């Protein structure tokens, strides 16, 4: 492949990966904001306030190495797509848990969503693979800019869902379903890499 075409592909993939992180970061912002509240409202136990984020983070920690090995074996794109689909499934299961008041569904949803988060962090690896060693850090930073943009975008997207509403477990169903949809959009976007 001529060098000019290769540069174009790298730029295109960089934009796609940055967009992927921007969209996914909106979901991460929702999880950060609502996981504690969701867990307490579904279980009814205020003393478990920190357990929601802990489940999410432990699942992410346990999945990172597994997802990394899978990327080495099967490639970056299939693992990223699978990870974002798992994240969408996790958000949908969490939405179900908030709707029916099921602690088990919320826990399973948090585990799946946390696993997806670990996979999303490995987008950096895909970015690093595209750039030569001397430009690798710069290439990864371009992709990580998407996370910053998504962190700003996330509250903007989800704030209207809560404006002027009493917060109950059932009122969290729609935001979790929205996060599921956003995760599936992320899987679609990353499939173009």
């Amino acid at each position: 492949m001529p060098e000019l075409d290769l540069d174009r592909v790298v730029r295109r993939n960089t934009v796609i990966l940055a967009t992927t992180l921007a969209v996914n970061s909106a979901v991460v912002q929702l999880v950060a904001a609502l996981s504690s509240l969701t867990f307490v409202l579904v279980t009814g136990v205020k003393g478990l306030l920190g357990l929601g984020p802990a489940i999410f983070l432990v699942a992410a920690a346990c999945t990172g190495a597994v997802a990394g090995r899978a990327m080495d074996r099967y490639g970056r794109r299939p693992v990223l797509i699978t990870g974002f689909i798992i994240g969408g499934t996790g958000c949908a299961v969490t939405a179900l848990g908030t709707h029916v008041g099921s602690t088990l569904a919320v826990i399973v949803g948090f585990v799946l969503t946390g696993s997806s988060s670990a996979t999303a962090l490995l987008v950096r690896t895909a970015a690093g693979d595209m750039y030569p060693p001397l430009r690798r850090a710069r290439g990864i930073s371009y992709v990580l800019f998407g996370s910053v943009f998504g962190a700003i975008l996330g509250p903007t997207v989800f704030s209207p869902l809560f404006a002027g509403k009493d917060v109950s477990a059932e009122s969290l169903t729609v935001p979790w379903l929205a996060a599921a949809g956003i995760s599936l959009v992320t899987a679609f976007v990353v499939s173009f890499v």
Side-chain angles (χ1 to χ4, degrees), residues 4-6 21 36 48 50 54 83 88 98 104 112 114 138 146 166 171 184:
L4 187 59
D5 288 341
L6 183 60
L21 282 182
S36 290
L48 298 177
T98 61
L104 180 60
L112 293 173
R138 181 177 294 173
D166 290 327
S171 70
L184 295 179

Side-chain angles (χ1 to χ4, degrees), residues 2-178:
E3 188 174 328
L4 187 59
D5 288 341
L6 183 60
D7 283 344
R8 186 177 305 133
V9 169
V10 168
R11 281 194 304 270
R12 178 182 150 277
N13 285 344
T14 299
V15 170
I16 291 170
L17 290 174
T19 302
T20 298
L21 282 182
V23 174
N24 182 68
S25 189
V27 174
V28 170
Q29 292 300 311
L30 174 82
V31 171
L34 293 184
S35 57
S36 290
L37 185 60
T38 298
F39 202 78
V40 168
L41 289 174
V42 171
T43 64
V45 182
K46 290 181 182 175
L48 298 177
L49 189 63
L51 193 54
I55 293 168
F56 178 83
L57 292 171
V58 167
C62 292
T63 306
V66 174
R69 283 187 172 267
M71 280 186 163
D72 289 341
R73 185 171 187 163
Y74 302 109
R76 307 294 187 228
R77 189 171 64 152
V79 174
L80 290 173
I81 292 169
T82 301
F84 292 128
I85 291 171
I86 288 170
T89 304
C91 291
V93 170
T94 301
L96 174 67
T98 61
H99 186 69
V100 301
S102 170
T103 301
L104 180 60
V106 168
I107 291 171
V108 169
F110 283 1
V111 168
L112 293 173
T113 307
S115 296
S116 174
S117 174
T119 304
L121 291 174
L122 295 173
V123 166
R124 302 169 204 193
T125 306
D129 288 347
M130 296 186 302
Y131 286 89
L134 291 176
R135 293 181 45 213
R136 189 163 291 146
R138 181 177 294 173
I140 293 170
S141 71
Y142 292 150
V143 170
L144 287 178
F145 177 76
S147 288
V148 174
F149 184 75
I152 295 166
L153 180 68
T156 305
V157 170
F158 290 112
S159 292
L161 295 173
F162 299 105
K165 294 182 182 174
D166 290 327
V167 179
S168 65
E170 275 196 44
S171 70
L172 299 177
T173 301
V174 171
W176 283 108
L177 285 175

